[in-house]
C-alpha cells in the first residue's frame, strides 16, 4: 500500500485555532470586489486549485497544497503550514476517495461552520475504493466547476454575477482547446485498444471512447502501491509483445519496476508511449494548458500508431 499521510489531530487543532479567525485576506473589506474583500480558498491538489483560482478570479486568493510535479499525492505528508492554509479557507476543495486523507484529517481537526468543504468524491458519487483521479473525467470536472461557482456565490452573494461570468468564460474560452481535443480524439480513435500503467488514465480513456485493455486489477494495484499479480503482468506482457495495444499511457509520477519494464518493452515493440502526471506539469501552468498538452501528445501518439 502507499504510505498514507499522518498528521496528529491534536497538533492540527492547535495550529488551526490560530488561523480559525481569519477566513479572508488581511487587506479585505466587505465590498466583495477586486481590491476589497478577497476570499481565502484552497485545494488539496493543484488540479482542483487551478480551476478554483480561475473561477474565483480577482475575488479569491487561492492556495494549492500540493504543487510539485515530482510529488506523489498518495504519499504526501501534510505540514503545519498546510494545516493553517486549510483552517483559514472559506472554501476548501479536497479530492476525497481516500486520495488525500491528510486533508480530511486537517478539516476534522478544526471544524468551522463558516468554511465550506467540497469533497469531490462525494459530489460525483465515487466512494472510497473507487478510482480517485476524478480530474481526468471531463464530466466530473464540469460538476466540480459548477459546484465551486455555487459555493463562491454562497460565500459572496453580492458578486454572484461576477462568478457566473467567470464560470462561463472558463467553459467557453479556458476549456475550448481541451473540449476540442477530447471531441477530436473520440471522433477519430474511439474503440482503439490502449494500455496504461495505472488507473489515473481510466476516466479519460472512458471519456475518449478508447478501449483500455490493461487488466483493471493491475491498474488499481499500481495506483494503490500494491504488488500486481503475476497473471496480470503476463497478460500485459502479451498485449505489448503481440502489439494488441496501439499506445501505452504512462503516469510518470508513479513508476515501479514493473511499469518501467512495460514502458521499455512498449518502446522496443514500436508502441508509442504517452505520458501523464498527477499534478500540473510544469508547476504553475493552468489546468487546461496541462490537460490540453497531454491530450495533444496522446493524439499524436494515436496518429503515429494508427495512421489516422
Amino acid at each position: 500500500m502507499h504510505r498514507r499521510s499522518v498528521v496528529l489531530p491534536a497538533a492540527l487543532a492547535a495550529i488551526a485555532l490560530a488561523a480559525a479567525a481569519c477566513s479572508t485576506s488581511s487587506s479585505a473589506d466587505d465590498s466583495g470586489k477586486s481590491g476589497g474583500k478577497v476570499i481565502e480558498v484552497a485545494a488539496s491538489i493543484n488540479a482542483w486549485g487551478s480551476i478554483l483560482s480561475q473561477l474565483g478570479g480577482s475575488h479569491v486568493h487561492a492556495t494549492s497544497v500540493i504543487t510539485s510535479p515530482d510529488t506523489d499525492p498518495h504519499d504526501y505528508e501534510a505540514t503545519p503550514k498546510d494545516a493553517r492554509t486549510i483552517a483559514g479557507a472559506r472554501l476548501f476543495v479536497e479530492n476525497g476517495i481516500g486520495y488525500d486523507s491528510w486533508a480530511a484529517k486537517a478539516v476534522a481537526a478544526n471544524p468551522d461552520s463558516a468554511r465550506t468543504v467540497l469533497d469531490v468524491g462525494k459530489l460525483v458519487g465515487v466512494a472510497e475504493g473507487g478510482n480517485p483521479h476524478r480530474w481526468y473525467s471531463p464530466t466530473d470536472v464540469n460538476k466540480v466547476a459548477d459546484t465551486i461557482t455555487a459555493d463562491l456565490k454562497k460565500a459572496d452573494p453580492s458578486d454572484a454575477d461576477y462568478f457566473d461570468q467567470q464560470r462561463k468564460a472558463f467553459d467557453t474560452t479556458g476549456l475550448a482547446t481541451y473540449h476540442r481535443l477530447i471531441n477530436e480524439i473520440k471522433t477519430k480513435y474511439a474503440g482503439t485498444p490502449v494500455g496504461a500503467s495505472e488507473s489515473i488514465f481510466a476516466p479519460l480513456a472512458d471519456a475518449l471512447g478508447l478501449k483500455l485493455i490493461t487488466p483493471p486489477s493491475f491498474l488499481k494495484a499500481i495506483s494503490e502501491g500494491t504488488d500486481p499479480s503475476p497473471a496480470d503482468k503476463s497478460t500485459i506482457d502479451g498485449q505489448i509483445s503481440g502489439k494488441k495495444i496501439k499506445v501505452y499511457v504512462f503516469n510518470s509520477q508513479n513508476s515501479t519496476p514493473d511499469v518501467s519494464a512495460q514502458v521499455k518493452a512498449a518502446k522496443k515493440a514500436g508502441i508509442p508511449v504517452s505520458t501523464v502526471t498527477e499534478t500540473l506539469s510544469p508547476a504553475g501552468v493552468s489546468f487546461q494548458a496541462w490537460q490540453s498538452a497531454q491530450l495533444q501528445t496522446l493524439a499524436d501518439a494515436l496518429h503515429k500508431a494508427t495512421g489516422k
Side-chain angles (χ1 to χ4, degrees):
M1 293 290 290
H2 277 286
R3 292 181 293 107
R4 293 299 182 191
S5 308
V6 178
V7 183
L8 295 178
L12 274 173
I15 294 165
L17 286 173
C22 179
S23 62
T24 59
S25 65
S26 59
S27 62
D29 61 26
D30 292 328
S31 70
K33 293 180 170 52
S34 180
K37 179 179 178 182
V38 179
I39 305 169
E40 291 291 340
V41 297
S44 61
I45 58 174
N46 61 3
W48 299 126
S50 174
I51 295 172
L52 177 58
S53 177
Q54 293 178 72
L55 293 174
S58 62
H59 293 198
V60 305
H61 175 256
T63 303
S64 296
V65 175
I66 295 181
T67 59
S68 172
D70 297 324
T71 300
D72 182 349
H74 294 275
D75 291 341
Y76 188 72
E77 295 183 5
T79 68
K81 181 181 178 182
D82 300 334
R84 290 192 294 270
T85 294
I86 294 169
R90 279 287 298 278
L91 170 60
F92 178 61
V93 181
E94 60 179 310
N95 192 76
I97 322 174
Y99 185 79
D100 47 6
S101 56
W102 52 269
K105 291 176 183 177
V107 169
N110 180 45
D112 184 352
S113 60
R115 179 179 59 232
T116 298
V117 177
L118 196 171
D119 182 314
V120 173
K122 290 180 181 178
L123 174 68
V124 302
V126 178
E128 189 162 348
N131 191 325
H133 307 99
R134 306 322 307 171
W135 59 98
Y136 273 95
S137 164
T139 299
D140 290 354
V141 167
N142 185 60
K143 289 180 181 177
V144 171
D146 283 343
T147 304
I148 287 174
T149 298
D151 288 341
L152 289 171
K153 290 162 67 174
K154 179 181 176 182
D156 182 8
S158 64
D159 287 306
D161 288 345
Y162 173 81
F163 294 125
D164 284 337
Q165 291 168 10
Q166 291 296 105
R167 177 68 182 97
K168 182 178 180 180
F170 179 64
D171 188 54
T172 59
T173 303
L175 294 178
T177 300
Y178 170 79
H179 289 317
R180 175 180 61 77
L181 287 167
I182 288 171
N183 290 333
E184 288 179 359
I185 292 172
K186 187 171 184 178
T187 299
K188 284 186 179 181
Y189 304 110
T192 301
V194 298
S197 65
E198 66 139 292
S199 64
I200 190 171
F201 182 62
L204 186 57
D206 287 343
L208 297 173
L210 300 176
K211 187 177 180 181
L212 180 56
I213 65 172
T214 305
S217 50
F218 178 90
L219 299 174
K220 186 176 179 66
I222 297 300
S223 178
E224 295 183 348
T226 59
D227 292 330
S229 71
D232 281 349
K233 289 191 286 186
S234 178
T235 296
I236 296 168
D237 289 344
Q239 290 174 348
I240 292 173
S241 63
K243 292 191 175 182
K244 296 177 181 178
I245 59 173
K246 297 297 184 181
V247 172
Y248 183 92
V249 181
F250 166 53
N251 175 10
S252 62
Q253 283 180 267
N254 188 17
S255 185
T256 69
D258 290 322
V259 169
S260 295
Q262 289 171 13
V263 170
K264 184 177 180 180
K267 290 179 177 178
K268 184 177 181 180
I271 297 171
V273 174
S274 186
T275 300
V276 296
T277 60
E278 299 209 23
T279 58
L280 304 184
S281 181
V285 72
S286 70
F287 170 84
Q288 58 268 31
W290 166 54
Q291 288 286 310
S292 295
Q294 293 184 150
L295 285 165
Q296 186 61 63
T297 299
L298 175 61
D300 292 343
L302 287 163
H303 171 71
K304 180 178 180 181
T306 65
K308 294 182 183 179

